[in-house]
Amino acid sequence: MKLKSFFKQCHEKEVFKMLSIYVVSAWVILQVLSITWQPLGLPQKSVAFLIIVLLLCFPLYIFFLWKFRIVPSQKTEIELDEKEKKKRTAFKKMYFSSLGIITSLCVISVFLIVTKNFSQNNADNLPKIIKSDKIAVLKFGNNTGDPQYDIVSKMASDWIIHGITENNVAQVITQDLIDEYKTILKGRKIEEDETTIVKEYLKPSKIISGNFYLKNGSLLFQGMLNDGKTNKINFSFKPTLCDANNPLKCIEDLNESITGYFITEDKKKLMLQETPPKYDAYKSLLEAKYSNDSHEYINLLNKAITADSTYFEPKVLRVAHYYNQKEFKKSDSLLKLIKPDSYTNKRQLNLLNMYEALLKGDNRTTYKTILKEYEIAPFDIQTNKTAMVVALQHVNRPEDVEAIYKTVAMDSMNLQNCFDCVLRIYVKVYADIELAKYSTAIATIESAQKETEAKILNRPLVIAYVRAGKEEALKQFLRKINIIATPEDTQELYLQAGKEYLLKGDTLKANEFFNKIINTESETVSGKLSDAFFYKEEYAKAKSILKKIHLKEPDNIEVLTKLAISNMKLDYRTDTEKNINSLENLRADYQFGEVDYALGQYYAATNNKPELYKHLLKAVANGHLYHWKYFKNDPQFKNYNKSKEFEEVMNFWK
């Protein structure tokens, strides 16, 4: 049936007339509700709810038109000829096809409305307090017995009202309004106390009240939050003490606590402490979380701690920051200063246990504790990222990473402004590489790099290209890198490609990449140059460069290890023993098995299997990471990484 004929029949059967009645009626109802929802005391989203209901009912209305208006009218007509029956069949088909399209459009519209109005928006950098019902702020009771402090009562309520209105918490019922109601009711000869007036006439959802006392020459302020209906105390704020001549100090502290309470009221499940933080402290913490600058990040954490010395979360994040910066001693000393609010706060204790385990190299406990934190806050980007990192690098469980990664949807994330999002992709693709999902890793990185040129993703892309056998794609990528990247970054990727080909057993291909480094000016890439000679097994040339680097960096364990291996291969036994002794003397706290891993590399070069596996086990037991450059990803272990003993090392924490 042609569209023109269909429309004509719809007009004849008064379908359009009935539809227009629905549309106009719906429009009138919406207009009325948009004006009356507030006076009627309905939620702000009432209009959105009504639109959803009207959209969902529209397809049902069209169906009922067919069933109760069109079909009955057709049954009353005389028996039709074959041509007329075909017309009716065609009309029915077109009618229900149109109904299907309209239903789809209504469902899509409902989905968009729900997403826009009822989904949590994570893009805001600073706290925005959700508006609640009205809050009454009563004048604080002067329990000092001294009338000179009556002005402080009014000052306290005014300051708190200012904090609530400034931060857009809610509409405020002031003491002046309550006093005005008292006057009106008194004029009507109705005796009502203040509490009854507030509950019966003004009907706030919450009431803030308090008292202050003189204590040993100081003022002690106590504030509380009551339920507006039952007058039951919902929360008592921490008392504040200040000099009797400076009551504003107490009032400011109490105001910060009250504002902090309302900021975190809808985030209680994610809070690390029972007492809400002060507003300025919470604001600084959020600013820190959205900062991509390391110096600014730690300054904001310190600012949060200064604003509220009892605030637990920034203290823990500061420990994590210095751990990630490899300042382990500082991280440990800061951890020891943190005391939980109480020994019944299991979440705080769990986090403290996690960082203690990290600093001890106890990776199994680290993983158990981060999983507990992940269960509480799976959608928190930093918690999610940390769980992924620990799964991959600390306990060698790449198979666990994908499920954690998928918890946080990445579709709406702006990678250019979210470094933690890029880091999550970085960990995810390395997990895919470990699981031999090379095509998946390549597709993920290439997709991410269309949005942001994240340098951190270049190395895993090279590794995936080599392991997937995509030589042409690797060549094209490195040609591009050679143009846009620094010489040092380019040489780093050449070195990685060469090491990957060594792992595959393709020495000729590996040497092509090592030669690219060797043919570059040595002064810009001296460290890479020594590695290129080392992996080409040109140990004399490697030794010459390694000695120079060692003089500048005598505590560099990696350089010292390669120097020991080079001397051993060149049969310089005295120098080799000297290097090994120097390695042993470099043992220190917070190394996480680094020296034992280096000795494992040395004994691999000497083919001393018992010592090799012994030191690798010691390294992993002390917390050495499984990483893109270690263990089975290290070309120095290519002749051993398929053995049963090596598998024991890889599965140590499982």
Short mmCIF file of all heavy atoms in Angstrom, two decimals, residues 405-447:
data_model
loop_
_atom_site.label_atom_id
_atom_site.label_comp_id
_atom_site.label_asym_id
_atom_site.label_seq_id
_atom_site.Cartn_x
_atom_site.Cartn_y
_atom_site.Cartn_z
N TYR A 405 38.20 -4.11 34.67
CA TYR A 405 38.21 -3.03 33.67
C TYR A 405 36.81 -2.71 33.17
O TYR A 405 36.42 -1.55 33.05
CB TYR A 405 39.10 -3.44 32.50
CG TYR A 405 39.15 -2.45 31.36
CD1 TYR A 405 39.96 -1.32 31.43
CD2 TYR A 405 38.39 -2.64 30.20
CE1 TYR A 405 40.02 -0.42 30.39
CE2 TYR A 405 38.44 -1.73 29.15
CZ TYR A 405 39.26 -0.63 29.25
OH TYR A 405 39.30 0.28 28.22
N LYS A 406 36.01 -3.73 32.92
CA LYS A 406 34.68 -3.54 32.35
C LYS A 406 33.69 -2.92 33.34
O LYS A 406 32.63 -2.46 32.93
CB LYS A 406 34.13 -4.87 31.84
CG LYS A 406 34.76 -5.32 30.52
CD LYS A 406 34.11 -6.61 30.03
CE LYS A 406 34.65 -6.99 28.65
NZ LYS A 406 34.04 -8.26 28.17
N THR A 407 34.04 -2.93 34.62
CA THR A 407 33.13 -2.36 35.62
C THR A 407 32.87 -0.88 35.35
O THR A 407 31.76 -0.39 35.53
CB THR A 407 33.74 -2.51 37.04
OG1 THR A 407 34.01 -3.89 37.26
CG2 THR A 407 32.78 -2.02 38.10
N VAL A 408 33.90 -0.17 34.90
CA VAL A 408 33.76 1.26 34.60
C VAL A 408 33.67 1.44 33.10
O VAL A 408 34.61 1.11 32.37
CB VAL A 408 34.96 2.07 35.15
CG1 VAL A 408 34.82 3.55 34.79
CG2 VAL A 408 35.08 1.89 36.65
N ALA A 409 32.53 1.93 32.61
CA ALA A 409 32.34 2.14 31.17
C ALA A 409 33.25 3.27 30.70
O ALA A 409 33.34 4.32 31.32
CB ALA A 409 30.88 2.48 30.88
N MET A 410 33.93 3.04 29.57
CA MET A 410 34.89 4.02 29.06
C MET A 410 34.32 4.85 27.90
O MET A 410 34.97 5.76 27.41
CB MET A 410 36.15 3.29 28.58
CG MET A 410 36.92 2.58 29.67
SD MET A 410 37.74 3.72 30.80
CE MET A 410 39.09 4.27 29.76
N ASP A 411 33.09 4.53 27.46
CA ASP A 411 32.54 5.18 26.27
C ASP A 411 32.49 6.69 26.40
O ASP A 411 32.77 7.41 25.44
CB ASP A 411 31.13 4.65 25.98
CG ASP A 411 31.13 3.15 25.72
OD1 ASP A 411 32.20 2.62 25.42
OD2 ASP A 411 30.06 2.53 25.83
N SER A 412 32.09 7.18 27.57
CA SER A 412 31.90 8.63 27.74
C SER A 412 33.13 9.33 28.31
O SER A 412 33.09 10.53 28.57
CB SER A 412 30.70 8.88 28.66
OG SER A 412 30.93 8.27 29.92
N MET A 413 34.22 8.60 28.51
CA MET A 413 35.42 9.19 29.12
C MET A 413 36.20 10.00 28.08
O MET A 413 36.41 9.55 26.95
CB MET A 413 36.32 8.09 29.69
CG MET A 413 35.67 7.28 30.79
SD MET A 413 35.42 8.25 32.28
CE MET A 413 34.84 6.99 33.41
N ASN A 414 36.65 11.18 28.49
CA ASN A 414 37.52 12.00 27.66
C ASN A 414 38.97 11.67 28.01
O ASN A 414 39.48 12.11 29.04
CB ASN A 414 37.22 13.48 27.90
CG ASN A 414 38.04 14.39 27.00
OD1 ASN A 414 39.00 13.96 26.35
ND2 ASN A 414 37.67 15.65 26.94
N LEU A 415 39.62 10.89 27.17
CA LEU A 415 40.95 10.39 27.48
C LEU A 415 41.98 11.52 27.58
O LEU A 415 42.97 11.39 28.30
CB LEU A 415 41.41 9.37 26.44
CG LEU A 415 40.56 8.10 26.32
CD1 LEU A 415 41.17 7.14 25.31
CD2 LEU A 415 40.43 7.40 27.67
N GLN A 416 41.74 12.62 26.88
CA GLN A 416 42.70 13.73 26.92
C GLN A 416 42.75 14.37 28.30
O GLN A 416 43.77 14.93 28.69
CB GLN A 416 42.32 14.77 25.87
CG GLN A 416 42.55 14.29 24.44
CD GLN A 416 42.21 15.35 23.42
OE1 GLN A 416 41.41 16.24 23.68
NE2 GLN A 416 42.80 15.26 22.24
N ASN A 417 41.65 14.29 29.03
CA ASN A 417 41.58 14.92 30.35
C ASN A 417 41.53 13.92 31.49
O ASN A 417 41.25 14.28 32.63
CB ASN A 417 40.34 15.82 30.43
CG ASN A 417 40.39 16.95 29.42
OD1 ASN A 417 41.44 17.49 29.14
ND2 ASN A 417 39.24 17.29 28.86
N CYS A 418 41.79 12.66 31.20
CA CYS A 418 41.69 11.62 32.24
C CYS A 418 42.89 10.67 32.13
O CYS A 418 42.82 9.66 31.42
CB CYS A 418 40.37 10.86 32.10
SG CYS A 418 40.13 9.57 33.34
N PHE A 419 43.97 11.03 32.82
CA PHE A 419 45.18 10.22 32.75
C PHE A 419 44.96 8.84 33.37
O PHE A 419 45.50 7.84 32.89
CB PHE A 419 46.34 10.94 33.44
CG PHE A 419 47.65 10.21 33.30
CD1 PHE A 419 48.23 10.02 32.06
CD2 PHE A 419 48.31 9.70 34.42
CE1 PHE A 419 49.44 9.34 31.92
CE2 PHE A 419 49.51 9.02 34.29
CZ PHE A 419 50.08 8.85 33.03
N ASP A 420 44.14 8.78 34.44
CA ASP A 420 43.84 7.48 35.05
C ASP A 420 43.11 6.57 34.08
O ASP A 420 43.27 5.34 34.12
CB ASP A 420 43.00 7.67 36.32
CG ASP A 420 43.85 8.05 37.52
OD1 ASP A 420 45.02 7.68 37.54
OD2 ASP A 420 43.33 8.71 38.42
N CYS A 421 42.29 7.16 33.19
CA CYS A 421 41.60 6.36 32.17
C CYS A 421 42.61 5.74 31.20
O CYS A 421 42.49 4.57 30.81
CB CYS A 421 40.61 7.22 31.40
SG CYS A 421 39.32 7.96 32.43
N VAL A 422 43.61 6.54 30.82
CA VAL A 422 44.66 6.03 29.92
C VAL A 422 45.46 4.92 30.62
O VAL A 422 45.80 3.90 30.01
CB VAL A 422 45.60 7.18 29.48
CG1 VAL A 422 46.75 6.64 28.64
CG2 VAL A 422 44.82 8.23 28.71
N LEU A 423 45.73 5.12 31.92
CA LEU A 423 46.46 4.09 32.67
C LEU A 423 45.67 2.79 32.75
O LEU A 423 46.25 1.69 32.70
CB LEU A 423 46.78 4.60 34.08
CG LEU A 423 47.90 5.63 34.20
CD1 LEU A 423 48.06 6.07 35.64
CD2 LEU A 423 49.22 5.06 33.68
N ARG A 424 44.35 2.89 32.86
CA ARG A 424 43.52 1.67 32.88
C ARG A 424 43.64 0.93 31.56
O ARG A 424 43.73 -0.30 31.53
CB ARG A 424 42.05 2.02 33.17
CG ARG A 424 41.80 2.49 34.59
CD ARG A 424 40.34 2.81 34.83
NE ARG A 424 39.56 1.59 34.87
CZ ARG A 424 38.67 1.22 33.97
NH1 ARG A 424 38.42 1.98 32.92
NH2 ARG A 424 38.00 0.11 34.10
N ILE A 425 43.64 1.69 30.45
CA ILE A 425 43.83 1.06 29.13
C ILE A 425 45.21 0.42 29.05
O ILE A 425 45.37 -0.70 28.55
CB ILE A 425 43.64 2.11 28.02
CG1 ILE A 425 42.18 2.57 27.98
CG2 ILE A 425 44.05 1.55 26.66
CD1 ILE A 425 41.92 3.73 27.05
N TYR A 426 46.20 1.12 29.57
CA TYR A 426 47.59 0.63 29.57
C TYR A 426 47.69 -0.73 30.28
O TYR A 426 48.28 -1.68 29.76
CB TYR A 426 48.44 1.68 30.29
CG TYR A 426 49.88 1.30 30.58
CD1 TYR A 426 50.86 1.42 29.61
CD2 TYR A 426 50.26 0.88 31.86
CE1 TYR A 426 52.19 1.11 29.90
CE2 TYR A 426 51.58 0.57 32.15
CZ TYR A 426 52.53 0.68 31.17
OH TYR A 426 53.83 0.36 31.45
N VAL A 427 47.07 -0.84 31.46
CA VAL A 427 47.11 -2.11 32.20
C VAL A 427 46.30 -3.18 31.48
O VAL A 427 46.73 -4.33 31.38
CB VAL A 427 46.57 -1.90 33.64
CG1 VAL A 427 46.60 -3.23 34.41
CG2 VAL A 427 47.38 -0.86 34.38
N LYS A 428 45.15 -2.78 30.94
CA LYS A 428 44.28 -3.74 30.25
C LYS A 428 44.98 -4.37 29.05
O LYS A 428 44.91 -5.59 28.83
CB LYS A 428 43.00 -3.02 29.80
CG LYS A 428 42.13 -3.75 28.79
CD LYS A 428 41.49 -4.99 29.35
CE LYS A 428 40.35 -5.49 28.48
NZ LYS A 428 40.73 -5.78 27.08
N VAL A 429 45.67 -3.54 28.24
CA VAL A 429 46.30 -4.10 27.04
C VAL A 429 47.49 -5.00 27.40
O VAL A 429 47.74 -5.99 26.71
CB VAL A 429 46.72 -2.99 26.04
CG1 VAL A 429 45.50 -2.25 25.54
CG2 VAL A 429 47.72 -2.01 26.65
N TYR A 430 48.20 -4.66 28.48
CA TYR A 430 49.28 -5.56 28.91
C TYR A 430 48.71 -6.90 29.38
O TYR A 430 49.31 -7.95 29.15
CB TYR A 430 50.12 -4.92 30.01
CG TYR A 430 51.29 -4.13 29.49
CD1 TYR A 430 51.43 -2.78 29.77
CD2 TYR A 430 52.25 -4.74 28.68
CE1 TYR A 430 52.50 -2.05 29.27
CE2 TYR A 430 53.32 -4.01 28.17
CZ TYR A 430 53.44 -2.67 28.47
OH TYR A 430 54.50 -1.96 27.96
N ALA A 431 47.55 -6.86 30.03
CA ALA A 431 46.90 -8.11 30.44
C ALA A 431 46.51 -8.93 29.21
O ALA A 431 46.69 -10.15 29.17
CB ALA A 431 45.67 -7.82 31.29
N ASP A 432 45.99 -8.25 28.18
CA ASP A 432 45.63 -8.94 26.93
C ASP A 432 46.86 -9.56 26.29
O ASP A 432 46.80 -10.68 25.76
CB ASP A 432 44.97 -7.95 25.96
CG ASP A 432 43.55 -7.59 26.37
OD1 ASP A 432 42.92 -8.40 27.08
OD2 ASP A 432 43.08 -6.52 25.98
N ILE A 433 47.98 -8.83 26.33
CA ILE A 433 49.22 -9.36 25.74
C ILE A 433 49.67 -10.61 26.50
O ILE A 433 50.08 -11.61 25.90
CB ILE A 433 50.31 -8.27 25.75
CG1 ILE A 433 49.99 -7.18 24.72
CG2 ILE A 433 51.69 -8.87 25.46
CD1 ILE A 433 50.85 -5.94 24.82
N GLU A 434 49.60 -10.56 27.83
CA GLU A 434 49.99 -11.72 28.63
C GLU A 434 49.10 -12.94 28.32
O GLU A 434 49.53 -14.07 28.42
CB GLU A 434 49.91 -11.39 30.12
CG GLU A 434 50.94 -10.39 30.61
CD GLU A 434 52.36 -10.88 30.44
OE1 GLU A 434 52.63 -12.06 30.72
OE2 GLU A 434 53.21 -10.09 29.98
N LEU A 435 47.84 -12.67 27.95
CA LEU A 435 46.90 -13.75 27.62
C LEU A 435 46.91 -14.09 26.13
O LEU A 435 46.04 -14.83 25.65
CB LEU A 435 45.48 -13.34 28.05
CG LEU A 435 45.28 -13.12 29.55
CD1 LEU A 435 43.92 -12.49 29.82
CD2 LEU A 435 45.41 -14.44 30.32
N ALA A 436 47.90 -13.52 25.40
CA ALA A 436 48.07 -13.76 23.96
C ALA A 436 46.89 -13.23 23.14
O ALA A 436 46.63 -13.71 22.03
CB ALA A 436 48.29 -15.24 23.67
N LYS A 437 46.18 -12.23 23.64
CA LYS A 437 45.09 -11.59 22.89
C LYS A 437 45.66 -10.35 22.18
O LYS A 437 45.31 -9.21 22.48
CB LYS A 437 43.96 -11.17 23.84
CG LYS A 437 43.28 -12.33 24.54
CD LYS A 437 42.18 -11.80 25.48
CE LYS A 437 41.48 -12.91 26.20
NZ LYS A 437 40.43 -12.39 27.14
N TYR A 438 46.55 -10.62 21.24
CA TYR A 438 47.29 -9.53 20.63
C TYR A 438 46.41 -8.63 19.77
O TYR A 438 46.55 -7.40 19.80
CB TYR A 438 48.44 -10.10 19.79
CG TYR A 438 49.33 -11.05 20.56
CD1 TYR A 438 49.61 -12.33 20.07
CD2 TYR A 438 49.88 -10.68 21.78
CE1 TYR A 438 50.41 -13.21 20.77
CE2 TYR A 438 50.68 -11.56 22.49
CZ TYR A 438 50.94 -12.82 21.99
OH TYR A 438 51.73 -13.69 22.70
N SER A 439 45.50 -9.20 19.03
CA SER A 439 44.62 -8.40 18.16
C SER A 439 43.74 -7.47 19.00
O SER A 439 43.51 -6.31 18.64
CB SER A 439 43.74 -9.31 17.30
OG SER A 439 44.54 -10.09 16.44
N THR A 440 43.25 -7.99 20.12
CA THR A 440 42.42 -7.17 21.01
C THR A 440 43.23 -6.00 21.56
O THR A 440 42.75 -4.86 21.61
CB THR A 440 41.89 -8.02 22.18
OG1 THR A 440 41.16 -9.13 21.67
CG2 THR A 440 40.99 -7.21 23.09
N ALA A 441 44.46 -6.27 21.99
CA ALA A 441 45.33 -5.22 22.53
C ALA A 441 45.61 -4.15 21.47
O ALA A 441 45.53 -2.95 21.75
CB ALA A 441 46.64 -5.83 23.03
N ILE A 442 45.90 -4.59 20.25
CA ILE A 442 46.20 -3.65 19.16
C ILE A 442 44.99 -2.77 18.87
O ILE A 442 45.11 -1.54 18.75
CB ILE A 442 46.64 -4.41 17.89
CG1 ILE A 442 48.01 -5.06 18.12
CG2 ILE A 442 46.69 -3.48 16.68
CD1 ILE A 442 48.41 -6.08 17.08
N ALA A 443 43.82 -3.39 18.77
CA ALA A 443 42.60 -2.63 18.47
C ALA A 443 42.31 -1.61 19.56
O ALA A 443 41.92 -0.47 19.28
CB ALA A 443 41.42 -3.59 18.30
N THR A 444 42.51 -1.99 20.82
CA THR A 444 42.24 -1.09 21.95
C THR A 444 43.19 0.11 21.92
O THR A 444 42.77 1.25 22.10
CB THR A 444 42.39 -1.83 23.29
OG1 THR A 444 41.50 -2.95 23.30
CG2 THR A 444 42.06 -0.92 24.45
N ILE A 445 44.47 -0.16 21.67
CA ILE A 445 45.46 0.94 21.66
C ILE A 445 45.22 1.86 20.47
O ILE A 445 45.23 3.09 20.62
CB ILE A 445 46.90 0.38 21.61
CG1 ILE A 445 47.20 -0.43 22.87
CG2 ILE A 445 47.91 1.51 21.45
CD1 ILE A 445 48.50 -1.20 22.82
N GLU A 446 45.00 1.29 19.30
CA GLU A 446 44.79 2.12 18.11
C GLU A 446 43.54 2.99 18.26
O GLU A 446 43.52 4.14 17.84
CB GLU A 446 44.68 1.23 16.87
CG GLU A 446 46.01 0.60 16.47
CD GLU A 446 45.91 -0.31 15.27
OE1 GLU A 446 44.78 -0.76 14.94
OE2 GLU A 446 46.96 -0.61 14.67
N SER A 447 42.52 2.44 18.88
CA SER A 447 41.29 3.22 19.12
C SER A 447 41.56 4.37 20.09
O SER A 447 41.12 5.50 19.87
CB SER A 447 40.20 2.30 19.67
OG SER A 447 39.06 3.03 20.03
#
